[in-house]
Amino acid sequence: MTESTEFITGATPAAPRFGFLLPLGLALLPVMAALVAAGLVLLVLGSDPIEYYSYVVQRGLLRWRGLQATVVNMVPLLILGGALIVSFRSGLWNLGIDGQYLLGTLTAGATAPLLAGAFPSIVALPLAMLAGAVAGALWALPPALLRARAGINEVISGLMMSLIAASLTAAAIKLWLKDPASLEPQTLTLPVEDRLPLLAGTDINIGIFIALGLVIAAHTLMMRSATGLRFRILGLNPAAATHAGLGVPKLTLSVLCLSGALGGLAGAVELTGVLGKMQASWHPGYGFAVVPLVFLARMNGWAVIVFVFAFSVLQIGSASAATRLGVPQDFTLVLVGFLLLFLALSEYAGERLRAKKV
């Protein structure tokens, strides 16, 4: 079809067949490259990478007990993924997500046992989760205000807030919230019978449905709603958002506080479902792990579910593989580091390819 015909008829050229292959390749290539690079590190350490990866899959996926642990491990990662979808699609980098997660966990740990003693679980647990979400939103507020009012980069302020949160949660538990009956510095323990109920015959609690619902809701909000459209305009062109009268400072506050609320909620769901208490030394660093997964998924909520599942298989399986093969327990972080490196390279290659097409 010629350009003149297109102009007259209003028709557009048909989309190229297999046009999905480029984004799919850009998502899978970093994963494969990271696995290969990590395998080379295993060889240097004197371990067989094929044996290691096989053991990971067997323990994290093919065994029923391991699969249950994988699903339980997905819960906070999925909710954090939803939080990052909201901020990243809005052009804002909520890298203070770990601090919001810790404050949400601490708040739920402080309130859930008390609420469970005064109310039935069906009331106490949602209230504890709400408290965790509010704590996460409030912890995201200072970076949001700095960005909205003074134009200060939220990356630096968010990371600093995460560092403060790690120290604050440890101090709060040791000084004010410590369980007097425990030798270890930790909050009061939420009784097992008062935690989120388990699916029949499994170790999986209903938090997995909360997590799946939240990440899908975050995706739907950003892609199918008027509010999400405003958030995306903010991310694509803040000047255009200002020109359209959308109120950039208000949108910035809304995005970062909503993302922070989800971050805090992730910690609250984890505590009320699995942990039952928070220890002063506990800091899983989930945010660092979730960021590359969200980018690999191209900030698509459905794809985030797939990548989080794969990463959880790796986390659960690698714990057993490390013990069996003598590999350091933190080897998964090496793989995450390679994933970030190759993700950046794939993004660069993708931009070059798109530029050539234009």
Side-chain angles (χ1 to χ4, degrees):
M1 183 180 292
T2 64
E3 291 184 3
S4 58
T5 306
E6 291 175 24
F7 179 78
I8 294 171
T9 64
T12 57
R17 294 183 64 187
F18 310 116
F20 65 91
L21 290 179
L22 177 58
L24 180 63
L26 291 176
L28 294 181
L29 281 177
V31 176
M32 301 306 297
L35 291 173
V36 171
L40 295 176
V41 173
L42 287 171
L43 285 175
V44 172
L45 295 175
S47 299
D48 183 352
I50 302 300
E51 183 182 5
Y52 178 85
Y53 289 137
S54 298
Y55 201 73
V56 165
V57 172
Q58 180 186 4
R59 287 286 184 172
L61 181 63
L62 301 181
R63 293 193 178 184
W64 174 233
R65 193 172 186 84
L67 180 59
Q68 291 181 77
T70 293
V71 173
V72 171
N73 189 69
M74 291 175 63
V75 172
L77 301 177
L78 285 173
I79 303 175
L80 292 174
L84 293 179
I85 286 173
V86 171
S87 65
F88 289 169
R89 279 200 176 274
S90 304
L92 296 169
W93 292 73
N94 182 18
L95 296 189
I97 194 75
D98 272 330
Q100 296 144 23
Y101 176 85
L102 289 174
L103 263 294
T105 309
L106 176 68
T107 304
T111 57
L114 300 178
L115 290 169
F119 302 100
S121 296
I122 195 171
V123 175
L125 295 185
L127 287 176
M129 292 179 193
L130 178 61
V134 170
L138 290 176
W139 202 250
L141 187 58
L145 286 171
L146 290 172
R147 173 60 188 262
R149 303 299 182 189
I152 295 175
N153 191 299
E154 72 279 5
V155 172
I156 303 300
S157 57
L159 290 173
M160 292 303 296
M161 291 294 287
S162 282
L163 291 175
I164 295 171
S167 299
L168 178 62
T169 52
I173 292 172
K174 292 176 181 178
L175 296 176
W176 306 300
L177 301 175
K178 183 178 181 297
D179 182 357
S182 173
L183 297 177
E184 295 292 328
Q186 63 184 39
T187 61
L188 295 171
T189 300
L190 180 66
V192 174
E193 61 272 16
D194 291 328
R195 299 178 194 176
L196 290 174
L198 302 178
L199 302 182
T202 73
D203 296 326
I204 303 170
N205 63 69
I206 63 170
I208 186 61
F209 297 116
I210 297 173
L212 289 170
L214 287 172
V215 73
I216 293 170
H219 174 82
T220 304
L221 169 71
M222 297 306 297
M223 303 306 296
R224 304 291 182 187
S225 72
T227 299
L229 178 60
R230 295 187 186 96
F231 288 167
R232 284 187 285 125
I233 292 173
L234 172 67
L236 291 171
N237 194 328
T242 301
H243 184 71
L246 294 181
V248 169
K250 183 178 178 181
L251 286 176
T252 300
L253 287 171
S254 299
V255 167
L256 289 176
C257 287
L258 175 57
S259 181
L262 288 173
L265 184 58
V269 172
E270 176 79 339
L271 186 130
T272 55
V274 177
L275 299 176
K277 60 182 179 295
M278 183 179 183
Q279 296 178 324
S281 59
W282 188 73
H283 190 337
Y286 286 150
F288 175 72
V290 174
V291 167
L293 302 181
V294 172
F295 275 106
L296 282 171
R298 295 297 187 268
M299 292 167 279
N300 181 293
W302 300 99
V304 164
I305 296 172
V306 175
F307 280 107
V308 165
F309 176 73
F311 181 75
S312 294
V313 169
L314 177 65
Q315 274 197 313
I316 298 302
S318 63
S320 298
T323 302
R324 180 183 176 93
L325 303 178
V327 176
Q329 287 286 346
D330 293 332
F331 182 75
T332 304
L333 295 179
V334 175
L335 184 58
V336 171
F338 278 126
L339 192 57
L340 285 168
L341 172 63
F342 290 114
L343 176 60
L345 292 175
S346 72
E347 285 295 320
Y348 174 75
E351 288 297 325
R352 293 293 299 272
L353 287 173
R354 284 188 283 268
K356 286 183 178 179
K357 286 186 177 181
V358 174

